[in-house]
Amino acid sequence: MEHLEFVGLAPLAFRPATSLTLPSRKRLELAKSLAMKPRVLLLDEVNAGLNTSEIEQALALMRAIAARGITIMLIEHLMKVVLSL
């Protein structure tokens, strides 16, 4: 539950994953990864299919993950994302 709260999905915790929107499913995948207590997180095109607002939220989440001391390795074709991180 701690990781769902961190990614902003606590209110949706008991809904089936298949009922979540694309951005919420991406956040769920991040929560699952964070539950493994990684020191390095590999992210591959995590912003694919997201609109500008959703990308901004994803960037804020990536910054919050990095602030926890987790190293992020990012594969991304959106240069706005790469340059802002």
Side-chain angles (χ1 to χ4, degrees):
M1 190 56 113
E2 167 193 345
H3 303 294
L4 289 176
E5 288 175 16
F6 178 74
V7 300
L9 290 179
L12 306 174
F14 298 102
R15 289 184 55 191
T18 57
S19 72
L20 299 176
T21 63
L22 175 64
S24 292
R25 286 194 312 267
K26 289 179 180 264
R27 287 177 175 266
L28 178 60
E29 291 301 321
L30 280 173
K32 288 167 43 178
S33 297
L34 293 172
M36 300 302 295
K37 301 185 186 316
R39 292 192 304 179
V40 177
L41 188 60
L42 307 175
L43 301 178
D44 183 10
E45 299 289 347
V46 293
N47 295 296
L50 300 181
N51 65 36
T52 303
S53 172
E54 294 161 346
I55 290 171
E56 291 299 325
Q57 292 172 359
L59 283 169
L61 185 53
M62 284 186 259
R63 288 185 187 103
I65 291 169
R68 288 184 159 194
I70 299 171
T71 300
I72 296 175
M73 294 182 66
L74 179 70
I75 297 170
E76 183 62 65
H77 72 279
L78 297 173
M79 290 309 294
K80 172 187 172 185
V81 171
V82 174
L83 294 175
S84 70
L85 290 175

